[in-house]
Amino acid sequence: MKRRRKLTKGEGVLLFLTAMFLCFLMGLHQRDLKASAAPMAIETQRGGRQDVPPELPDPAPPEPLDMNTASAEELTELPGIGESLAARIIAYRETHGSFTCLEDLLNVSGIGEKKLAALEGLISIQ
């Protein structure tokens, strides 16, 4: 049978510190597990906490903008339509009457196939 040798004082201290470090790491791990399982919270303006569900449902998509009744401000909120193009759309509408289909927008200077395709789902003709 082999005889075990005794640990030196330095080896014992090192073993103790290693054990303490591992306990510390386990405590951090447990804290992180509890934090990830708890519901998220945000700070309100008054300093209180308010629980927030982890995932909020996507808001409903906006209603398509009617090109026959839209104002210049509403038109400029669409992607790729600035103030001058919005003014041309309104001028075309006033000169030629209401749009009867989306393809009528191709007659407005500055609206091509690509721009019309980018606006699909965001605009309508009613």
Side-chain angles (χ1 to χ4, degrees):
M1 228 201 275
K2 255 186 170 180
R3 241 177 88 182
R4 291 172 118 185
R5 77 174 177 91
K6 275 189 147 187
L7 295 175
T8 65
K9 188 174 183 178
E11 290 172 330
V13 169
L14 187 59
L15 186 60
F16 174 76
L17 290 174
T18 303
M20 293 301 293
F21 180 70
L22 290 173
C23 288
F24 174 73
L25 288 178
M26 285 298 293
L28 288 178
H29 179 69
Q30 290 297 323
R31 182 196 67 186
D32 290 344
L33 285 177
K34 286 180 185 176
S36 66
M40 295 172 53
I42 58 170
E43 295 291 325
T44 62
Q45 287 181 341
R46 295 183 184 148
R49 292 174 63 98
Q50 174 182 353
D51 288 334
V52 175
E55 290 185 29
L56 297 174
D58 290 334
E63 290 292 319
L65 185 63
D66 182 11
M67 297 302 286
N68 286 322
T69 60
S71 67
E73 288 113 14
E74 291 172 321
L75 290 170
T76 56
E77 292 176 9
L78 293 169
I81 297 186
E83 292 178 11
S84 61
L85 184 53
R88 286 196 303 271
I89 292 170
I90 292 173
Y92 184 90
R93 193 171 63 197
E94 290 171 351
T95 304
H96 297 92
S98 297
F99 296 106
T100 58
C101 63
L102 290 177
E103 288 74 25
D104 286 348
L105 288 168
L106 295 172
N107 297 325
V108 177
S109 174
I111 297 182
E113 295 284 341
K114 287 183 182 179
K115 189 163 291 201
L116 186 59
L119 295 171
E120 191 171 323
L122 301 175
I123 59 173
S124 69
I125 304 295
Q126 294 180 7

